[in-house]
Amino acid sequence: MNLYNWENSARANHKKVKKTGTVVLHPDEHVDTDFEQLRKTVKVDRSHHGKNYMEEHGLVKGEEERSVLMSDMTIKTLRDTMGFTALLPGQAQCYRGIFVGRDVILHSRTGSGKTLAYVLPLVERHLLVESGDAAGKKRRAADDAARGPFLIVFVFSVDLAVQTKQVIQRVYPQLRVAVAGMDAVAPDAREGPLDVLVGTVRAVDEAVRGRKVAAEATAAEEKEKALEAQRLAPQGAGKKRARPAAGDDASGADDAELEEDPEADVGTVQQQGEVSAADVRAIVIDEVDTTLGPRFSSLGRRMKNLLKYIRRANGSLAEGLLTDMRSHHYVLCGATIPNWVIKAGFLGVKKYYYQLVAAGSVKLPEGLEVLRMPCPYEVRVRTAAQLLRSQHDFFGRTIVFGTPKQVAALEKELLAAVPAALSVRTLTEAKDEVERLSAVEDFNSKTADTLLCTDIAARGLDMVEAQTVLMLSLPSHVLAAETFVHRAGRTARVFHTGRCLVLHDATEREVLDGIARTTHATFKLFVPAGAAAEAGGAKKGKAEPSATVRLQLTVRNPFQFTKPNVKVPSAVEVLEKQLANSPLRASLTLEASESPEVVRFSVPASVAHEVKAKLWKYKLEELH
């Protein structure tokens, strides 16, 4: 455990001095994942909620409150229904911290079990601790009082909301879980009060604060977007506007935008929607960089007002309280966590940042093989159709990512074959919610073996046993690497293996190289079965032909303008040093060079990705 960053106000004597910090917990390879460790009791401290909360819940300050971490029934369900023999490492590492009520940021790879990582400790805490206290019994006795959920999960799309609901109900069928905007959320005489509410910010806002307040907030959002578009219009004229990189705080759009605004109209507790926020004890924001993005814009301010409303409803924020003693805590999670998320101002005094992927290292699933195939843009749809039809045994169950135009053309191309060799479904923005959900369900139930989609399906959704991800185009914006990680992460999930194939041309090599450097992906050259046979009788779907690749390594003084006299090793010396103890050195053929800063060499295509992995810190280009 490392103390990462403490920030203190410069005005040390000011009464509003705030002391905040983040404790970073790095990946722990030796974490105990066995279910037996969850049978141990742990102290549950709720005194920080304040005197009123303690009295309402029948608690005595100083009295030790202990609970096991998971019930035997849940352990049995995980084993028998879900097939778990133990928790996944990421789930085990953050379980206790979430259970005891810490504000947590959970950073983990795609397909690593993040949904259950927050669901299990939050629900177990509710069932084992909060449902048995005096206030919980009192709420259950009054049918009209228990109207609200104890857990709210914010997501960025209805598709992800439905999937999250299914995961929760599979483990906890006794809970009433609803998707805001789709399911009935009001109290039901037969089913009882709502336990968990899942949905987008807009949908949850309408369910909690009511249609009138939510409609006003939506109108304000749309007005702000229109003004922003109008402001940027003169810059258009054939010029692309530069967008700030993820984590760049130059615009100041960080936690400051979620500070309290006393003049904001957040609505009153009497002015509520179909559900009450009085019983909310935990708030989760899944895929936080997208759900609150981009970088706490108008959507973030709407979230701020909604969170303030919830704190008023559950007694955290009340007149006469000198301190905001929250009755709930937050869990933020995602596969990509920009800096502005870590600095989120609405989190508590101390944030626990479970960085379950090593900083600056592997960001893709461990069992993922990454391939690339040169292909002109104008023939990619036809090429993809040929690959999917002729090499179906190699590709298996495939998810194809492309632009809306590419997806529509590929769907037409694949369905034109008679009889159809593939069962195809499409998932795009043009489809309504029912059609999108049906497409995912058909793929996950194996009714369909090929799913064509845009980036609407790149994040969050769990695709069952997807064996290949095929990309018809690369993301080209400033978040290209993050989008690539989410796309590729639809396969090789939770200890499974998979492959990702990217079709690209010379104009996209710079983007491809940037993605490789950022994600540490090592792209292997893929050759289709027919071409591989011509190259020397290679096996069907072989990823490497018997050919060579020319590379250029450039090593320059990074401080040439400020410290021009700094001695920098030549490109040849760097190459020799990095490959000195590797058998790869014998496969290199060096070319004559006129400059010590540049060295060109040839390497067999079968090991080119390994050479690139060794030299990932340096500028390495593939020559044509």
Side-chain angles (χ1 to χ4, degrees):
M1 182 182 296
N2 299 318
L3 195 61
Y4 177 69
N5 184 28
W6 285 99
E7 298 176 347
N8 294 280
S9 171
R11 297 176 292 176
N13 297 323
H14 196 276
K15 64 179 181 179
K16 290 186 178 179
V17 166
K18 291 192 298 184
K19 193 175 185 181
T20 61
T22 302
V23 177
V24 178
L25 292 98
H26 295 289
D28 183 3
E29 297 178 356
H30 305 291
V31 65
D32 186 1
T33 62
D34 194 272
F35 284 130
E36 288 303 316
Q37 59 114 352
L38 300 175
R39 300 179 189 272
K40 302 174 183 177
T41 61
V42 63
K43 181 180 178 181
V44 181
D45 181 15
R46 291 192 277 175
S47 61
H48 63 281
H49 290 317
K51 182 180 178 181
N52 293 341
Y53 179 90
M54 298 288 287
E55 291 177 353
E56 179 189 353
H57 289 71
L59 304 173
V60 179
K61 188 174 182 179
E63 182 180 358
E64 190 173 84
E65 189 180 4
R66 302 192 69 86
S67 170
V68 295
L69 291 166
M70 185 179 287
S71 67
D72 291 340
M73 181 179 295
T74 303
I75 294 176
K76 185 177 187 303
T77 301
L78 290 173
R79 283 174 170 162
D80 299 346
T81 305
M82 305 287 286
F84 278 65
T85 57
L87 292 178
L88 299 177
Q91 296 167 350
Q93 187 175 346
C94 64
Y95 189 100
R96 186 182 296 259
I98 297 176
F99 186 92
V100 299
R102 290 172 179 166
D103 288 327
V104 167
I105 301 174
L106 176 59
H107 180 197
S108 187
R109 295 185 185 94
T110 59
S112 58
K114 285 189 294 297
T115 302
L116 284 180
Y118 67 75
V119 166
L120 291 173
L122 290 177
V123 175
E124 289 300 304
R125 174 187 171 90
H126 172 74
L127 297 177
L128 295 172
V129 180
E130 293 167 347
S131 293
D133 59 32
K137 294 174 182 177
K138 182 179 178 182
R139 281 194 299 273
R140 287 195 301 275
D143 293 338
D144 59 338
R147 293 183 57 207
F150 70 87
L151 170 62
I152 296 179
V153 182
F154 290 97
V155 295
F156 66 88
S157 71
V158 175
D159 311 70
L160 182 55
V162 171
Q163 181 175 282
T164 303
K165 172 187 175 180
Q166 292 172 345
V167 171
I168 297 174
Q169 289 193 317
R170 190 175 179 189
V171 184
Y172 300 102
Q174 71 272 31
L175 296 182
R176 185 180 169 210
V177 187
V179 174
M182 287 191 66
D183 301 332
V185 296
D188 185 275
R190 182 172 56 86
E191 297 183 0
L194 182 64
D195 294 304
V196 182
L197 180 64
V198 189
T200 63
V201 176
R202 286 189 177 188
V204 172
D205 195 4
E206 182 174 322
V208 173
R209 290 199 293 175
R211 292 185 179 181
K212 181 179 178 181
V213 177
E216 292 173 354
T218 301
E221 278 186 44
E222 298 299 335
K223 182 178 179 181
E224 182 172 329
K225 289 180 181 178
L227 290 174
E228 179 70 5
Q230 185 178 0
R231 185 178 69 83
L232 298 176
Q235 300 179 17
K239 254 169 103 176
K240 285 188 179 178
R241 178 174 175 259
R243 288 173 27 172
D248 179 12
D249 297 322
S251 66
D254 51 20
D255 55 320
E257 293 201 17
L258 282 185
E259 290 181 356
E260 291 300 336
D261 180 5
E263 303 300 324
D265 180 18
V266 300
T268 64
V269 175
Q270 291 76 23
Q271 193 178 24
Q272 64 184 22
E274 291 187 273
V275 300
S276 168
D279 295 330
V280 172
R281 292 294 172 260
I283 292 176
V284 175
I285 306 178
D286 199 1
E287 297 294 347
V288 60
D289 55 330
T290 300
T291 304
L292 284 185
R295 303 178 61 201
F296 293 140
S297 56
S298 57
L299 189 65
R301 286 189 289 277
R302 180 175 190 164
M303 173 72 88
K304 171 197 67 177
N305 292 333
L306 179 55
L307 294 178
K308 186 174 181 179
Y309 175 92
I310 292 172
R311 298 210 312 278
R312 282 181 179 173
N314 67 16
S316 300
L317 194 63
E319 296 296 333
L321 283 182
L322 298 178
T323 311
D324 176 5
M325 308 296 286
R326 284 194 288 105
S327 298
H328 65 262
H329 70 289
Y330 297 98
V331 177
L332 278 55
C333 57
T336 49
I337 302 289
N339 290 337
W340 59 264
V341 171
I342 301 173
K343 296 168 67 177
F346 59 86
L347 290 182
V349 172
K350 185 175 288 185
K351 294 170 279 189
Y352 288 79
Y353 177 22
Y354 289 85
Q355 187 169 277
L356 303 179
V357 294
S361 63
V362 179
K363 297 181 180 180
L364 295 169
E366 294 180 358
L368 181 69
E369 182 183 27
V370 187
L371 311 172
R372 66 178 181 84
M373 175 181 168
C375 180
Y377 186 86
E378 58 273 11
V379 298
R380 284 185 197 171
V381 170
R382 187 166 67 251
T383 301
Q386 292 173 349
L387 289 173
L388 292 173
R389 282 196 293 253
S390 65
Q391 300 193 48
H392 182 61
D393 292 342
F394 175 74
F395 281 93
R397 289 168 48 78
T398 305
I399 301 174
V400 183
F401 284 101
T403 65
K405 187 176 180 180
Q406 287 175 323
V407 168
L410 182 56
E411 180 183 25
K412 183 178 180 181
E413 184 89 16
L414 291 174
L415 296 180
V418 180
L422 304 172
S423 178
V424 180
R425 299 291 186 274
T426 58
L427 182 58
T428 65
E429 292 83 353
K431 304 283 186 179
D432 61 33
E433 292 175 357
V434 175
E435 290 175 313
R436 295 203 304 268
L437 293 172
S438 177
V440 175
E441 179 62 28
D442 285 349
F443 185 81
N444 286 343
S445 64
K446 299 185 180 179
T447 302
D449 51 21
T450 305
L451 184 64
L452 314 181
C453 50
T454 59
D455 280 337
I456 192 174
R459 285 173 172 261
L461 298 181
D462 187 13
M463 307 301 186
V464 176
E465 296 181 21
Q467 295 165 287
T468 303
V469 169
L470 174 60
M471 299 189 196
L472 302 184
S473 58
L474 282 170
S476 57
H477 44 72
V478 293
L479 298 179
E482 286 78 4
T483 302
F484 178 85
V485 167
H486 285 284
R487 286 182 182 179
R490 297 313 97 205
T491 185
R493 300 175 69 82
V494 192
F495 302 131
H496 286 80
T497 59
R499 65 181 65 87
C500 172
L501 173 60
V502 177
L503 304 184
H504 68 93
D505 57 24
T507 63
E508 294 172 306
R509 282 314 303 266
E510 185 177 348
V511 176
L512 194 67
D513 290 342
I515 291 173
R517 286 193 298 271
T518 303
T519 64
H520 290 204
T522 53
F523 288 88
K524 301 178 182 179
L525 187 63
F526 176 82
V527 174
E534 294 176 4
K539 292 182 181 180
K540 184 177 184 181
K542 189 176 180 181
E544 303 291 346
S546 55
T548 59
V549 176
R550 290 183 68 227
L551 301 172
Q552 176 177 291
L553 174 65
T554 304
V555 180
R556 292 194 176 97
N557 176 13
F559 310 106
Q560 54 184 320
F561 298 109
T562 57
K563 299 178 182 179
N565 297 324
V566 173
K567 186 177 180 181
V568 177
S570 67
V572 174
E573 291 173 338
V574 169
L575 182 64
E576 295 290 352
K577 181 179 180 180
Q578 295 298 317
L579 302 179
N581 299 318
S582 172
L584 295 172
R585 176 62 188 89
S587 64
L588 268 60
T589 303
L590 299 182
E591 300 178 11
S593 177
E594 299 178 357
S595 169
E597 296 180 338
V598 178
V599 60
R600 294 179 178 178
F601 57 95
S602 299
V603 60
S606 58
V607 295
H609 63 284
E610 297 181 45
V611 174
K612 291 180 179 180
K614 292 279 186 182
L615 300 170
W616 71 269
K617 295 181 181 179
Y618 304 94
K619 182 179 180 181
L620 189 66
E621 302 170 274
E622 187 170 323
L623 303 176
H624 300 280

